[in-house]
Amino acid sequence: MRELTTVIKLIMLERKDIFLSILFGFLAGMGAVSLFANSGYLISMAAINPPLYVLTTSIALLKLFSATRAASKYGERYFSHRATFTMLSNLRVHFFEKLEPLAPRIFHRFRSGDLLSRIVGDVESLQNFFLRVYYPPIVMMIVFLSTIAFTTFFSVHVAVTLLVGLVLTGFVIPAWFALKQYKIMSQLREKRGVVSTEATEFFYGFRDLKLYQKLDTQEKNVRTTADQYVKEQRRDSIHELYSTSIIQMISLSVSWFVLGLGAYLVGTGELEGVFLAMLVMISLTVFENATPMAIFPAYYEDSRRAATRLFSVINDESENKGVVEEELLTKELQEKDPISINMNNISFSYPGEARKTLSEINIDIPSGTKTAIVGPSGSGKSTLIQLLLKFYDEYDGDIVVNGSTLAQVRKESVWKATNTVLQSNHFFYGTIRDNLLLARDTVTDEEMKQALEMVDLNEFSLDDKVIEKGGNLSGGEKQRLAIARAILKGSRLWLLDEPTSSVDFVTEKKIYSHLFDLGKEDTVVLISHRLTGLEQMDQIIVMEHGRVVETGTYDELMERKGYFYQLKEIEKSVLM
């Protein structure tokens, strides 16, 4: 049950609905038992011509038990499903709150399709935990024990028989099938995860698969994994039907045994014959409450594995990666002030990688200055931005921002204080206006139009449509729209990672002119593979293989004729 601890805690938030579900479940179960017991007694009494008031009372009770059973069954379904839906809502919110701080490093450990399978499929599987696992055994035990206590007044032997039947159908048989179910559910859930992962990547990579003529091969892989999943589902269904059949067979066997035993007791005078039909009807009816135990092992194992897969995402990351709870972070960055940055002996490796991406980085960026970070691809430039944005918390050394250690600063405070343009920027389905409003809710249409003009997108209307992931925009248009969004945010720290790599030189010069004019008193950190236009930067940091190899102004680096000078000469030769 350790894997389901969190789910149980979330269920217990709905104590009222849980109590009402159990109460109405008990009343529905006892209503059915009472209904059939009274029916058996009424039939027997009618055969011996009893007083009229006995028949009248039995018929009245028959109607009462029928109404009680129907009303209680409705109440049970209503409150149990309401508790389930509320639990699922609480579970989704709880999981998202735990998952959100782990992004984006979590994608180093889990494929997007696998995460989708866990977030959607595993959460949906847990809806059966309360309905099929949590409260049905409780209702079964209460109904059975109440029925056994009632039958004790008529025959201890029959009560013992029902108790043995309870142990067999409620515990022994489900436990036996649970052992067999363990292996089946393990394979079924893994196959579902594989199908979801393969299908997701198939749609993500559809265009590239089509271009490289590998669509048929990947489609065949998806179909193969889907067929394997269907095969496991079939095995699970057969196993479930087999379990149900065994329990029903034992239930009927117990009822036949009660009939034979009752007949013997009537013959010996230990039981009045008028109660025989009643006891048989009780045995037939009470075992209806044991039928859900046939599917108990399947749903328990399914819920356990779903909870394990779901919470392993956040538990492993939180426990093993040293994730700091947000409430422990006390520092806030002042949005109105330019920000200073000091990196002292920073070394970093991506999760699961032995190779160091950054090694002993020492950088000083005073507030209000303009800093360019250049170097070949793979030198660790973008990783510096990711550390500054607190995408990763595990690194050696210290990052100090405005005199406070970055580890003590809340992520939301960092993100609020920065105008960020990354190499990959997401655009949502909607309009240009919708995507620009991400920067600031209070931005006006006039401000948005001015920002679009600054990045040379004035031909766009704010009502122009943007499809998912900006699929109808070119690479350069996406970058310029991302820059416009950063301009509208209006914070005092600019983190720009190759913001104009897909933009022509003329437009790039125009954009930088506006950016440096807007941020003339702000702190600007620009990562660029282009070395033109860096003369206006206060300092240039040159990186190679995760290390800082040179630092200085443009003129200083050119005079040294070191690594930056060599890169500049190569760029000149290529452009000329």
Side-chain angles (χ1 to χ4, degrees):
M1 292 289 286
R2 182 177 60 86
E3 297 88 352
L4 296 168
T5 301
T6 303
V7 180
I8 293 174
K9 289 180 180 178
L10 293 172
I11 288 177
M12 294 308 296
L13 294 175
E14 305 302 318
R15 292 182 179 88
K16 180 180 178 181
D17 283 347
I18 293 173
F19 172 76
L20 292 174
S21 298
I22 295 174
L23 174 62
F24 282 111
F26 167 71
L27 292 177
M30 290 307 299
V33 172
S34 302
L35 175 65
F36 280 82
N38 188 65
S39 299
Y41 178 74
L42 180 60
I43 292 171
S44 299
M45 288 297 293
I48 60 176
N49 195 23
L52 184 60
Y53 72 87
V54 174
L55 292 178
T56 303
T57 302
S58 295
I59 293 171
L61 288 174
L62 201 66
K63 293 182 178 180
L64 174 63
F65 293 145
S66 298
T68 300
R69 181 191 183 192
S72 299
K73 200 67 179 177
Y74 176 82
E76 177 201 11
R77 294 294 177 87
Y78 175 79
F79 288 108
S80 63
H81 282 74
R82 189 171 75 173
T84 298
F85 293 143
T86 307
M87 182 270 289
L88 285 177
S89 176
N90 294 336
L91 179 61
R92 290 189 179 99
V93 172
H94 172 82
F95 184 74
F96 180 79
E97 288 176 345
K98 296 292 184 182
L99 182 67
E100 186 267 336
L102 303 178
R105 64 176 174 274
I106 200 171
F107 293 106
H108 284 269
R109 297 184 60 238
F110 299 96
R111 295 162 71 182
S112 55
D114 188 20
L115 282 175
L116 180 64
S117 172
R118 295 169 191 252
I119 294 171
V120 178
D122 291 338
V123 170
E124 289 299 318
S125 294
L126 287 170
Q127 70 179 325
N128 294 311
F129 179 69
F130 180 70
L131 292 175
R132 302 287 185 263
V133 177
Y134 188 80
Y135 88 93
I138 299 175
V139 173
M140 181 199 70
M141 285 294 298
I142 298 175
V143 171
F144 255 100
L145 293 177
S146 300
T147 303
I148 292 170
F150 175 76
T151 57
T152 304
F153 290 102
F154 302 94
S155 173
V156 175
H157 300 85
V158 174
V160 172
T161 301
L162 294 179
L163 180 60
V164 172
L166 166 64
V167 172
L168 287 174
T169 58
F171 300 99
V172 177
I173 301 302
W176 179 53
F177 276 98
L179 294 176
K180 299 181 65 177
Q181 193 78 22
Y182 183 85
K183 183 178 180 181
I184 294 176
M185 292 307 301
S186 174
Q187 295 175 354
L188 179 63
R189 189 150 297 285
E190 294 302 323
K191 294 296 183 184
R192 190 176 77 178
V194 172
V195 170
S196 179
T197 301
E198 293 297 330
T200 301
E201 294 207 355
F202 176 77
F203 285 111
Y204 277 164
F206 183 86
R207 182 172 58 185
D208 292 328
L209 290 169
K210 193 81 171 177
L211 290 173
Y212 288 95
Q213 300 179 3
K214 296 293 182 180
L215 193 63
D216 293 339
T217 302
Q218 186 63 24
E219 185 177 351
K220 184 178 179 181
N221 291 337
V222 174
R223 290 184 180 276
T224 300
T225 54
D227 290 341
Q228 292 173 348
Y229 176 52
V230 171
K231 182 179 178 181
E232 292 298 327
Q233 280 185 312
R234 188 179 296 114
R235 286 182 59 199
D236 178 61
S237 298
I238 293 173
H239 189 268
E240 184 178 309
L241 289 173
Y242 181 47
S243 174
T244 303
S245 300
I246 293 294
I247 287 183
Q248 289 179 344
M249 182 188 70
I250 292 176
S251 301
L252 289 174
S253 298
V254 171
S255 297
W256 278 105
F257 187 81
V258 168
L259 177 61
L261 177 63
Y264 172 78
L265 294 174
V266 170
T268 60
E270 296 183 39
L271 177 67
E272 292 185 34
V274 73
F275 297 124
L276 177 58
M278 179 187 72
L279 294 176
V280 173
M281 295 297 283
I282 286 176
S283 66
L284 285 170
T285 309
V286 74
F287 280 99
E288 291 181 359
N289 295 279
T291 302
M293 295 305 294
I295 57 176
F296 175 88
Y299 282 113
Y300 172 77
E301 186 61 25
D302 186 43
S303 299
R304 189 186 69 83
R305 289 194 170 274
T308 300
R309 277 171 46 85
L310 189 65
F311 292 106
S312 65
V313 176
I314 54 181
N315 291 340
D316 291 348
E317 284 287 324
S318 298
E319 293 173 8
N320 300 331
K321 304 302 179 183
V323 177
V324 180
E325 295 293 337
E326 281 295 302
E327 54 264 26
L328 300 179
L329 306 179
T330 57
K331 301 294 184 179
E332 297 277 349
L333 294 181
Q334 298 298 321
E335 299 175 47
K336 297 182 179 180
D337 299 329
I339 293 173
S340 63
I341 301 170
N342 301 96
M343 292 188 170
N344 303 314
N345 295 319
I346 297 297
S347 296
F348 171 76
S349 298
Y350 282 103
E353 295 184 11
R355 179 183 66 89
K356 282 192 173 183
T357 306
L358 299 175
S359 298
E360 299 179 0
I361 300 294
N362 289 280
I363 294 176
D364 182 20
I365 303 176
S367 61
T369 60
K370 312 295 178 287
T371 300
I373 303 177
V374 301
S377 177
S379 59
K381 304 184 300 296
S382 297
T383 305
L384 288 177
I385 295 291
Q386 294 177 20
L387 294 185
L388 286 174
L389 291 172
K390 299 200 70 173
F391 288 169
Y392 300 93
D393 295 318
E394 291 296 299
Y395 52 84
D396 297 326
D398 292 316
I399 300 178
V400 180
V401 180
N402 275 4
S404 300
T405 303
L406 187 63
Q408 298 176 323
V409 181
R410 295 179 65 253
K411 291 180 180 180
E412 286 77 5
S413 176
V414 174
W415 299 334
K416 190 179 293 186
T418 58
N419 304 321
T420 305
V421 180
L422 301 176
Q423 290 186 25
S424 177
N425 302 280
H426 189 84
F427 298 96
F428 295 89
Y429 182 89
T431 63
I432 296 290
R433 177 186 287 104
D434 296 332
N435 282 275
L436 290 178
L437 282 172
L438 291 177
R440 188 160 39 91
D441 292 336
T442 58
V443 66
T444 64
D445 285 0
E446 187 60 34
E447 290 174 321
M448 285 188 273
K449 291 176 182 178
Q450 291 177 1
L452 291 176
E453 186 176 354
M454 289 181 185
V455 297
D456 203 22
L457 285 179
N458 46 301
E459 73 275 10
F460 277 86
S461 165
L462 294 178
D463 296 318
D464 284 346
K465 185 177 180 180
V466 177
I467 67 174
E468 188 177 8
K469 296 184 178 181
N472 59 333
L473 303 176
S474 69
E477 288 172 340
K478 290 180 184 179
Q479 287 189 327
R480 285 180 282 163
L481 188 59
I483 294 171
R485 198 156 60 185
I487 290 172
L488 290 170
K489 190 174 182 183
S491 297
R492 303 299 303 277
L493 173 62
W494 298 74
L495 299 179
L496 310 174
D497 188 0
E498 305 280 9
T500 56
S501 58
S502 299
V503 178
D504 62 89
F505 285 101
V506 175
T507 305
E508 179 186 50
K509 184 176 180 180
K510 177 181 178 181
I511 292 172
Y512 279 152
S513 175
H514 288 299
L515 284 180
F516 288 127
D517 183 54
L518 288 171
K520 58 185 177 182
E521 296 182 357
D522 301 338
T523 304
V524 178
V525 179
L526 169 66
I527 292 176
S528 177
H529 67 277
R530 294 177 181 173
L531 305 182
T532 55
L534 300 183
E535 293 84 356
Q536 55 188 319
M537 306 304 291
D538 295 312
Q539 68 170 333
I540 300 172
I541 298 170
V542 186
M543 296 185 64
E544 184 185 27
H545 300 309
R547 295 179 179 273
V548 175
V549 294
E550 282 185 314
T551 302
T553 64
Y554 180 86
D555 293 336
E556 290 172 348
L557 294 177
M558 292 300 291
E559 289 176 5
R560 291 178 197 167
K561 295 189 176 181
Y563 190 74
F564 179 80
Y565 176 83
Q566 296 174 18
L567 292 176
K568 188 65 178 177
E569 290 299 308
I570 293 173
E571 184 181 73
K572 286 181 180 179
S573 64
V574 171
L575 294 178
M576 293 176 62

